[in-house]
Amino acid sequence: MAILKEHVSYSEVRQWKECGWRHKLLYIDRLSTFEESPHLHYGTIIHDACEHYLKTKELKIEETKQKIKESWDEHGFDSEDFIQLQSNRAQLQGWKYKHNKLKDWLDWSEASIRSIPDFLDNTFPNWEFVSAEAELYEGIDNIETKFKGFIDCIIKVPQKNGSYKYWIIDWKTSSGRGWSLEKQRDFLVHAQVVLYKHFWGTKNQIEMNKIMCGFILLKKIKTVGKSCQLIKVSSGPKTLDKSQKLVRSMIKTVKKGMYLKNRDSCKFCEFKDTEYCN
């Protein structure tokens, strides 16, 4: 059965690329085995603090820590039941679960937020705020489907010749070790900000060579000044074209009703060993 989607997001495209069958279960059949995660809640709260700083230059540290405490209380992330559930799941998937108590998350959040001002000032001298959570809902060539997304951070940095370089940035919380080299070089990871660059630059009629993009990792480290790391993403013409082809290929394949399983993507899949995929 042919399916024409009204819009797609980067996260949907990535799910499709990793496993067409999982994409079908999530986005066509609308199935989910979603469970609350401390990593998800922590990431959302830290993103909110970053957005607030960009817009106001204020650090809302205590408010952020209070939000984390409330989230932990509401969802029982330090409860014995939650710890046991995570330990059992990890064992089934072949890895060992390590639990971090609330105090760790609070310390990580404070170090990350306090690190942001100096990191931005040193990495992007004299940077100027352009936008936070910039919405995209853009056409894709002659395809009816739109590309939908929200850009975490857009700033501009003055150059010696009087012009500006724009930076498309996505905040990512990570472990204290940061990303592996493999992930730092992964095209499928890069595609997120590359697509944001293409659609935002096209929408605002800005030349692509004036737009840079990357990720800022907010690592779970308790030392102020050590939390932030910039992962630059190469986004020249070939990469821009490759990212757009990825989106078009996904839309074309889904429209044809083709949903191929990728057995190499099973390990952490929420549908592994369920009635939906066995």
Side-chain angles (χ1 to χ4, degrees):
M1 179 178 66
I3 296 175
L4 179 62
K5 297 185 66 64
E6 182 178 342
H7 60 255
V8 297
S9 64
Y10 161 76
S11 59
E12 180 175 353
V13 173
R14 178 167 182 169
Q15 288 281 8
W16 168 81
K17 183 63 175 176
E18 289 179 343
C19 179
W21 185 255
R22 183 167 70 227
H23 170 269
K24 173 186 180 295
L25 296 176
L26 287 170
Y27 291 93
I28 307 301
D29 299 340
R30 302 289 181 180
L31 300 176
S32 178
T33 58
F34 174 79
E35 293 182 0
E36 299 292 350
S37 162
H39 299 281
L40 178 63
H41 282 265
Y42 177 80
T44 300
I45 293 168
I46 295 298
H47 271 66
D48 180 61
C50 292
E51 180 181 347
H52 182 80
Y53 176 73
L54 288 171
K55 292 178 176 179
T56 66
K57 295 294 181 74
E58 296 174 350
L59 300 178
K60 55 175 189 177
I61 295 170
E62 293 308 316
E63 182 178 340
T64 296
K65 292 167 77 172
Q66 184 59 35
K67 285 183 178 180
I68 293 173
K69 290 177 184 177
E70 291 172 357
S71 182
W72 260 239
D73 288 342
E74 179 181 354
H75 300 291
F77 290 142
D78 272 348
S79 69
E80 291 300 321
D81 287 344
F82 179 82
I83 295 171
Q84 188 62 53
L85 178 65
Q86 299 306 308
S87 298
N88 292 343
R89 179 176 290 112
Q91 186 175 15
L92 288 173
Q93 294 176 337
W95 56 284
K96 188 174 182 179
Y97 174 71
K98 179 184 177 182
H99 186 75
N100 293 102
K101 292 287 189 178
L102 172 62
K103 186 179 185 305
D104 292 324
W105 299 87
L106 297 176
D107 290 344
W108 292 333
S109 69
E110 180 165 353
S112 289
I113 296 169
R114 288 194 185 279
S115 297
I116 289 171
D118 284 347
F119 178 80
L120 289 178
D121 290 345
N122 292 333
T123 309
F124 310 104
N126 302 310
W127 64 275
E128 299 176 25
F129 172 70
V130 175
S131 184
E133 288 298 304
E135 184 175 6
L136 296 171
Y137 199 79
E138 312 306 315
I140 305 169
D141 298 332
N142 298 317
I143 301 173
E144 294 180 51
T145 303
K146 304 286 189 181
F147 180 84
K148 181 179 181 178
F150 292 89
I151 305 174
D152 285 348
C153 169
I154 306 173
I155 58 176
K156 61 180 183 179
V157 182
Q159 306 297 296
K160 291 181 180 180
N161 61 6
S163 64
Y164 286 92
K165 286 282 188 183
Y166 293 86
W167 275 88
I168 303 284
I169 293 169
D170 195 83
W171 307 102
K172 298 291 188 187
T173 55
S174 77
S175 70
R177 297 185 302 274
W179 286 357
S180 66
L181 285 177
E182 181 181 10
K183 185 169 183 177
Q184 291 184 40
R185 297 167 179 170
D186 188 345
F187 163 73
L188 196 55
V189 174
H190 293 182
Q192 179 180 7
V193 288
V194 175
L195 287 168
Y196 289 171
K197 167 179 171 172
H198 164 72
F199 287 109
W200 183 80
T202 301
K203 176 181 181 179
N204 292 280
Q205 299 182 325
I206 298 174
E207 297 175 23
M208 293 295 148
N209 62 6
K210 293 183 179 179
I211 306 174
M212 311 292 285
C213 56
F215 300 94
I216 292 181
L217 302 189
L218 299 169
K219 295 185 282 189
K220 297 183 179 79
I221 294 175
K222 298 181 181 181
T223 305
V224 176
K226 301 291 185 179
S227 296
C228 300
Q229 179 185 358
L230 174 65
I231 306 294
K232 294 181 180 179
V233 172
S234 174
S235 55
K238 290 184 178 180
T239 307
L240 284 164
D241 185 58
K242 185 178 179 181
S243 298
Q244 294 168 66
K245 285 181 178 178
L246 175 66
V247 177
R248 292 195 296 268
S249 178
M250 177 261 177
I251 294 171
K252 182 179 179 180
T253 303
V254 172
K255 187 176 181 180
K256 289 181 177 180
M258 297 171 60
Y259 310 108
L260 301 178
K261 288 185 182 181
N262 176 14
R263 298 293 184 184
D264 293 332
S265 188
C266 290
K267 185 172 183 180
F268 298 105
C269 179
E270 60 192 291
F271 298 107
K272 182 183 179 183
D273 296 329
T274 69
E275 60 184 298
Y276 306 109
C277 187
N278 51 44

